[in-house]
Every structure is written in structure tokens, then in C-alpha cells.
Amino acid sequence: MSRPRVFYGAVALAGLSLIWSAYAITDLMQSGPFGLSVALAGDIGWLTVLWAQYRRVGPRWAAPTAGWIIALGVGLLLVIHGAQENSTAQAVAGPFVVLVGKIVWEFALPALRDPAALTPEQQAEINTVIRDSEHAARLHDAHRDRAEREAQATIERIQQQARITAARDRADFEITLERLEMRAEIDRRSPMLLAPIANTDRGGEQPAITPSTPPLAPAPVPPPSSANADREQPSIADLAREHVAIMPSNTDVVQAILTARPDADRKSVAATVRRARRNADGMKGGYG
């Protein structure tokens, strides 16, 4: 894209204006490098405002207004410089160069722009749409991230509860297994208290005791004689354990023992029977 001719004239005038203003302000200040820095600051400010005006930065009125303020300020300093030099020509020509350069740039800047370029208002509208779209996209992403974090937290909580439930079930299973093993061990070590007792005196086997068949009374133990004098008789405790296992009533057990051992004391036999009954009931409750 070729530049318009007015651009080259504006650049030439800008160069002359900058050189003249830098010389005049430095001479006016009479402070050497400090005065030159003030002159350069004014020139740099003017060029910056021209760039902002070309790019349409900020409000539409801001850049042109700032440019005219800087141009008028520089022109005033040039008038003061000419007055101090007692030169009417410098007092008039100095501001004239600056003001002409500013006016030429007011025509050159629009000529440099693309005629099809968007206006500041249109560009601002597009920027607003882009900004709103970006805001909506980021807001959607934020909501999605939050939903994902909440879902992950819920999954972790469910998994933790499942692990706790599994641990409880495992502990219950192990405890139940230990109980079964202990019960089997108790059954293995317990005596066979409910086994039927054979009746050798009647020459046949005593029928098994069932809930519908009352137990048969054991045959009385024959008194000691010469044939079994040397044989040891069973004790009261042994007789009590044997009869308690097959007879539900303590009175019947006492009577049976007294029949077998008429010389035994009834109260002592009754106490032994009660003790045997308690022991038998306690063993049944341990594995029942």
C-alpha cells in the first residue's frame, strides 16, 4: 500500500518542528542538558499523541485534544524565546512551524487509515461481543470444573463407604468363622452325655430316649457279694452323672441312687445330684 503524499510533507514538517522546538527550548532554559531533556520530552509527547490518534486509542476526543495542548504549549515557549531574543521573526516563525506541522498531521492521519477499516464504535462493539463470549466460555468451564470436582468427591465418598462396609463384613465373617471353629472344638472335646446306656442285666439293648418315649429306669446295682467283693463300686458322683444324663427329674435320680446304694445319705445324694445337674446343663448351654 503506497502512502499518500501528504504523509511525506507531514513528516518533513514534524522534523523541522522538533528540531526548532528542541533548539529554542534548550536555549530558553539556558540549563544545558536539562533544557534539552525538557525539549525532548515535549517532542516525544507530541509523537506519542500522534501515534495514539492514528491508532484511535482511547476516546475519540482525547488524542486530538492532547495533541493541540502540546502544540500550543510548545508554540508559547517559542514565542517567549523570540521575545527574550528581541526577535519578532523568531517569536512568529517558531510557533508557526509547530502549528503548521500539527495542522498538516490532522490531514495526514486520516489519509493513512484504510477507508474500509472499522470505526472505533464498531471495533468497540466487536470487542464487547468477543469479551462477552470469552466470559461465557470461561464461566462455563468454571461450572464444568466445579461439577467435575463435586462428582469426584461424591465418588470418593461412596468408595470410602464401600471400603468401610467391606471391612465390617470381613470382620463379621472372620468372627463368625472363629465362633464356628470354637463351637466345633467344644463339640469335639465334650463327653457324649446323651449316648444311651446299655442294660446288660436284661440281656438286650436299652432303646434310645426320645421325647415321646420316657426313659427306662436303670437296673439297681446289686449289693456287694463275694463275687464282686474285690471289685470297686462306682461313687455317688459317678452314679449321679450317669443318671442325670438319662433321667429328667432329680427326685427320680436320687431314688435310683438310694436304691443302688441304700447305705448312702439322702441329703448328700440330693446335693450331689443337683451339682451334677448344674454341670450337665452348663455343658449343654456351651454348645447348644
Side-chain angles (χ1 to χ4, degrees):
M1 177 181 178
S2 61
R3 298 183 183 278
R5 295 181 179 180
V6 68
F7 171 75
Y8 300 103
V11 170
L13 287 174
L16 292 174
S17 176
L18 294 176
I19 294 173
W20 176 249
S21 62
Y23 159 74
I25 294 174
T26 303
D27 187 56
L28 177 65
M29 297 290 294
Q30 295 182 357
S31 57
F34 179 73
L36 180 61
S37 66
V38 175
L40 292 177
D43 295 340
I44 294 172
W46 185 42
L47 293 176
T48 304
V49 170
L50 286 177
W51 176 86
Q53 187 175 355
Y54 170 72
R55 299 299 298 269
R56 295 177 177 177
V57 177
R60 177 178 295 183
W61 56 266
T65 302
W68 280 110
I69 291 175
I70 293 175
L72 293 175
V74 173
L76 179 61
L77 291 176
L78 295 179
V79 170
I80 295 173
H81 176 261
Q84 287 185 353
E85 294 292 331
N86 296 321
S87 175
T88 304
Q90 291 185 14
V92 175
F96 179 77
V97 173
V98 174
L99 294 178
V100 170
K102 175 62 178 173
I103 293 172
V104 172
W105 272 108
E106 290 295 326
F107 291 99
L109 290 177
L112 293 174
R113 298 190 186 100
D114 183 6
L118 298 176
T119 63
E121 291 78 9
Q122 293 172 338
Q123 187 63 43
E125 185 177 357
I126 293 174
N127 294 337
T128 300
V129 173
I130 295 175
R131 184 170 56 252
D132 293 342
S133 177
E134 182 67 18
H135 174 263
R138 293 189 181 183
L139 189 63
H140 175 72
D141 293 340
H143 287 311
R144 183 185 60 189
D145 294 341
R146 180 180 178 182
E148 290 179 355
R149 289 193 298 269
E150 291 179 353
Q152 184 64 28
T154 302
I155 293 174
E156 292 178 356
R157 184 170 60 254
I158 294 174
Q159 291 177 347
Q160 182 66 21
Q161 293 176 354
R163 285 192 291 267
I164 293 174
T165 302
R168 290 177 177 174
D169 294 341
R170 190 179 302 108
D172 293 340
F173 171 75
E174 292 176 355
I175 293 174
T176 303
L177 185 62
E178 291 180 0
R179 288 178 176 174
L180 293 175
E181 292 177 352
M182 293 173 61
R183 183 172 299 175
E185 184 67 16
I186 292 174
D187 293 341
R188 186 178 65 83
R189 295 186 180 184
S190 299
M192 304 299 293
L193 297 178
L194 298 179
I197 300 175
N199 189 352
T200 56
D201 293 339
R202 297 187 179 182
E205 294 183 355
Q206 183 178 3
I209 300 175
T210 61
S212 59
T213 305
L216 298 177
V221 179
S225 61
S226 59
N228 57 3
D230 297 335
R231 188 179 302 172
E232 182 180 357
Q233 295 182 353
S235 63
I236 300 298
D238 294 337
L239 294 174
R241 283 194 295 270
E242 294 176 358
H243 287 72
V244 164
I246 60 176
M247 301 180 69
S249 175
N250 289 350
T251 304
D252 296 338
V253 174
V254 172
Q255 187 62 38
I257 294 174
L258 290 177
T259 302
R261 298 288 296 275
D263 57 337
D265 181 63
R266 175 179 288 274
K267 292 183 179 180
S268 177
V269 171
T272 302
V273 170
R274 287 194 299 272
R275 184 165 54 251
R277 179 71 68 182
R278 286 195 301 267
N279 291 337
D281 292 343
M283 294 182 68
K284 291 179 181 179
Y287 58 88

